[in-house]
Amino acid sequence: MLKVLFVYDPEARLDLFELFPRLKSFFSNRRNFAILRTFGDIVFTILILMGLFGPQDPSRNIMLFISWGVWWTSIVLSWFFVGRMWCGVCPFPGIGRIFQKLGLYRKKLPLQTFSKYCAYGATILLALILWVEAVTHMKYSPFLTSLLLISILLGATVFAILYKGQAWCRHFCPMGKIIGAAATMSILEFRPLLEKCRGCKDFPCKRGKGNIPGCPVYLGAYAVKNNLLCLVCGHCVPLCDRDSPRLFLRHPLKELIINKGRYLTCAYIIPFLMASQLSRFIQEKTVWYQSFKASLANSEAIAFTIILGLWFIFFVGIIRLGAKLFTFFEDELFGKFSPMVPVLVPMAFTGELTYRLDYFLHEVGNFFPVLGRQFGLELEHLGFVVPEWLIILTLKTLIIVGGIGAFYVAWIFYSQEFEGIVPKINFFGIVGLIVMISTLYFVFC
Ligand code: SF4
Ligand code: SF4
Ligand code: SF4
């Protein structure tokens, strides 16, 4: 296991279904997922109600810490370990699923054009969410947090009424796009054993069997080639009678290295995500941001947008410069790719984890006092403060880990994948870019 995880070998992976048959039974028994989803649906409904009708003072409403501190931070952390598995139990498609079970939906497949253009729409939605979150200080507003959850729930429900399966999840969900992009550096991958698929005629993993519908995102296990789209919901496991779908343990950077930034989703999401992280750090932690905002009629929207726009241009520039330094970004068979994107991915997602952990570690000690104030219980004495040095140490360590991950991807490209193609001086240039970006994170986080 340690060898698979820490020594890069594109062929090495461990079949976890074979190693732990109970894991396969867990996926095959659909009741397990139903129980997890029901639990999620209940918690989710309570959170929304608390946000809409509970106290709006952030020090008296625990839904904020549960939503932003526990829920979202756990999802971000889960990307590195279980990839997109959160989507298998996500509560957002819950109401749509009920409509579909009752037959109250148009039994149509999504339009072909969705596959082509929706990545842009989802990325714009994600950008909008991150922007609104920062500009409205949503982490401190129970009402706005509930509105955000309701709007994603609404999107998933409307698309479930318009189309079969989970069209929202496949094409539009902004969270799904960021989770999918992050899952490319997970230590798990859900894949078929293609030799078992040979000769399969009915493709029940995709089309379903009898009354059981097929893959909710129109893939089917045999078509899963990366971690971007598959929800790891395990729905296809009991549908396949050839025992093909498997869960593998792998090297976390394998997919990034193999794909080399070929997919559009990452090419847009990564620079925006990194730009938004540095902007959010600057907004929350620097004094000069306040003076800058004051010089713009105290408009958070204008000040944040300017900083975000500048960082976005900066990261797009870094991606272009990185591609030039690699000297290799197009191949007859492979098509166009963007080698600097996979180099940035480890920094982008450790950056997001850093930002979320920062909030979690500052707020965790207030959990019981806030809970007590909301429900009229005397819990103030259970409050505590996580020492600032420990928070700083944790965040800076994560930034260093992200930088090491980026260096590792760049090194494998230089020494193995593009062996003999990238001049040594260019490689030093790429390392220079990694050090510069890590330093920026280090300074601002
Ligand atoms: S794609 Fe979005 S709505 Fe769908 S399961 Fe994932 S997070 Fe939930
Ligand atoms: S995964 Fe199973 S059902 Fe799907 S094509 Fe392969 S053998 Fe057939
Ligand atoms: S391929 Fe299987 S695990 Fe992946 S989304 Fe489809 S049904 Fe779920």
Side-chain angles (χ1 to χ4, degrees), residues 34-110:
I35 291 168
L36 286 174
R37 277 202 294 255
T38 310
F39 173 73
D41 290 349
I42 294 168
V43 174
F44 186 68
T45 311
I46 294 173
L47 285 181
I48 290 182
L49 293 175
M50 280 165 86
L52 291 179
F53 306 111
Q56 292 304 306
D57 175 356
S59 66
R60 293 181 174 276
N61 197 328
I62 200 62
M63 75 83 69
L64 286 174
F65 178 70
I66 297 176
S67 306
W68 294 105
V70 180
W71 178 60
W72 187 232
T73 309
S74 318
I75 294 177
V76 174
L77 193 61
S78 77
W79 297 341
F80 302 95
F81 299 101
V82 294
R84 219 177 153 167
M85 215 177 270
W86 155 258
C87 288
V89 293
C90 171
F92 290 121
I95 298 181
R97 224 177 268 124
I98 296 173
F99 273 101
Q100 293 191 343
K101 272 198 184 132
L102 296 172
L104 302 172
Y105 70 111
R106 260 172 18 124
K107 296 178 178 79
K108 299 245 185 245
L109 283 171

Side-chain angles (χ1 to χ4, degrees), residues 181-218:
T184 55
M185 54 173 289
S186 147
I187 58 170
L188 294 186
E189 62 179 27
F190 186 86
R191 299 284 188 275
L193 288 177
L194 282 174
E195 62 277 14
K196 295 203 179 220
C197 294
R198 219 164 286 134
C200 178
K201 291 199 176 69
D202 299 327
F203 301 98
C205 60
K206 179 176 181 176
R207 297 179 188 154
K209 195 158 57 179
N211 290 333
I212 309 171
C215 172
V217 286
Y218 332 106

Side-chain angles (χ1 to χ4, degrees), residues 37 46 85 122 207 232 240 259 274 284 297 322 336 348 357 360 386 410 435 439:
R37 277 202 294 255
I46 294 173
M85 215 177 270
R207 297 179 188 154
V232 200
C240 174
N259 288 334
M274 296 182 88
E284 290 174 19
K336 277 195 174 177
L357 267 182
F360 175 84
V386 179
V435 172
T439 310

Side-chain angles (χ1 to χ4, degrees), residues 190 205 214-221 224 229-237:
F190 186 86
C205 60
C215 172
V217 286
Y218 332 106
L219 273 175
V224 181
L229 301 175
C230 168
L231 307 181
V232 200
C233 63
H235 190 79
C236 53
V237 175

